[in-house]
Amino acid sequence: MLKKLLANIKIHLKRVAFLCALFLAMFLAGFYLVNLDLKPSPKAIPSALPSGADIGVELQKRLGSTTVAMETYNEWAKRYGLDRSNNSLDADPDKDGLPNYQEYVYGTNPLKADTDGDGFSDKQEIANGYDPDAPGDTKPQVFVHIDKIGVDAPMVWSQSMDDQKMLTDLEKGLSHFYKTAAPGQNGNAIISGHSSNYVWAKGDYNHVFKDLGNLQNGDLINVKTIQTNGRAIYYQYKVTDKFITTADDQRVFADTQNPTLTLSTCWPIGTNLKRIIIKAEIVK
């Protein structure tokens, strides 16, 4: 009787050991499968445009010009009729809170507080991420480039804090957290991206931030905004802090007086247990 009992126990233990090994194998296979990019790379579409500096040469040939450039600040001030009383960089002739140098950069009218006539001042629109030279709720295109970790991705202006809607935004690139500061403006601009490439997930940016943890203090993050009027404005940030925390840590969301960039992604890769956070300050 005892022999039979011991034999049954032995058989049971073997079954348990087999099931444990099977579970571990499935877990490891699933973990690595989650983080392999099994989707084929998008096929490159040949461009009809010259590349790099060649396009400048080609434009010059077609124009019969040796130089293509934006008007100087002095030319811009003269075009709007600004004089010695109101043409300095920090003057604000239209009293909208936006000094001349910013009106020049954004391509807005220094003598009109609401350039696009949509009921909001130029400063209000810029501070809230809207295009000051385009009517309605138009927002500039934004691109984030981090050379060190090979990130070059568009940013989506999320319009809701609903998790499902934010996940949909992440299919198209990086997600700008709703109602945080606009890139380049005073305050905390929070941008998140995926770190894990789930094979069933849609989109081409499923692990765009997989190497976010490799950034160190002093590394540079470049942000480019493009307005409807074609103005491209570049901002550069320098990493000042990195930490791993929970998703609800208030350090992530804390507002700031100066332009700050907060990058966030799930951590460790293959989970959503915690977040790795990169903080960066604008370089002036």
Side-chain angles (χ1 to χ4, degrees):
M1 187 70 176
L2 182 60
K3 274 187 174 183
K4 188 174 181 180
L5 180 60
L6 290 173
N8 287 337
I9 291 174
K10 190 174 181 181
I11 292 171
H12 180 69
L13 289 175
K14 284 183 178 180
R15 288 176 178 171
V16 170
F18 173 75
L19 289 174
C20 288
L22 181 63
F23 174 79
L24 181 60
M26 290 176 66
F27 174 79
L28 290 174
F31 180 82
Y32 286 107
L33 185 63
V34 156
N35 293 289
L36 283 176
D37 189 359
L38 299 181
K39 296 183 178 180
S41 300
K43 292 183 179 179
I45 301 174
S47 174
L49 295 173
S51 61
D54 292 341
I55 195 167
V57 174
E58 186 63 28
L59 286 173
Q60 288 168 7
K61 285 180 183 177
R62 293 173 184 239
L63 289 168
S65 168
T66 56
T67 303
V68 179
M70 190 173 80
E71 66 182 336
T72 66
Y73 178 82
N74 287 338
E75 290 168 338
W76 171 84
K78 186 175 181 180
R79 177 161 61 87
Y80 278 106
L82 304 183
D83 56 31
R84 293 184 64 181
S85 68
N86 61 6
N87 68 0
S88 69
L89 292 175
D90 294 313
D92 183 14
D94 57 11
K95 308 299 181 187
D96 63 354
L98 206 64
N100 280 340
Y101 77 90
Q102 290 196 43
E103 301 266 15
Y104 169 66
V105 168
Y106 289 104
T108 50
N109 188 334
L111 300 176
K112 188 177 179 182
D114 179 13
T115 296
D116 56 21
D118 62 359
F120 296 93
S121 73
D122 296 340
K123 182 176 182 179
Q124 283 178 304
E125 295 205 53
I126 291 169
N128 290 287
Y130 292 95
D131 189 330
D133 196 27
D137 58 359
T138 305
K139 293 199 171 189
Q141 292 178 290
V142 179
F143 299 88
V144 177
H145 179 80
I146 311 174
D147 187 60
K148 182 175 181 179
I149 58 174
V151 169
D152 193 4
M155 187 196 82
V156 179
W157 294 93
S158 294
Q159 298 301 306
S160 169
M161 288 186 285
D162 178 77
D163 289 341
Q164 192 57 49
K165 290 182 179 178
M166 291 182 71
L167 285 173
T168 300
D169 291 335
L170 287 169
E171 294 174 10
K172 305 168 189 174
L174 304 173
S175 172
H176 174 268
F177 200 80
Y178 185 55
K179 288 190 175 181
T180 64
Q185 305 307 310
N186 289 338
N188 183 13
I190 303 175
I191 298 175
S192 62
H194 280 312
S195 61
S196 303
N197 187 32
Y198 297 99
V199 293
W200 57 84
K202 298 178 181 178
D204 296 322
Y205 300 92
N206 294 338
H207 57 185
V208 63
F209 271 177
K210 63 183 176 62
D211 296 321
L212 195 64
N214 293 338
L215 293 180
Q216 302 293 336
N217 286 3
D219 288 336
L220 298 177
I221 300 166
N222 295 293
V223 179
K224 177 173 69 174
T225 67
I226 304 176
Q227 297 177 185
T228 304
N229 62 13
R231 292 291 179 109
I233 304 167
Y234 296 79
Y235 302 101
Q236 190 169 71
Y237 292 82
K238 183 179 289 187
V239 175
T240 57
D241 195 12
K242 177 175 71 173
F243 55 91
I244 295 173
T245 187
T246 57
D248 58 355
D249 188 334
Q250 289 308 301
R251 289 179 295 171
V252 177
F253 306 97
D255 202 10
T256 58
Q257 295 298 314
N258 298 315
T260 303
L261 187 65
T262 299
L263 304 182
S264 170
T265 194
C266 292
W267 197 260
I269 290 177
T271 76
N272 64 352
L273 297 175
K274 292 191 175 182
R275 302 291 184 270
I276 189 164
I277 304 297
I278 297 293
K279 290 279 188 179
E281 299 290 337
I282 203 164
V283 177
K284 291 189 176 180

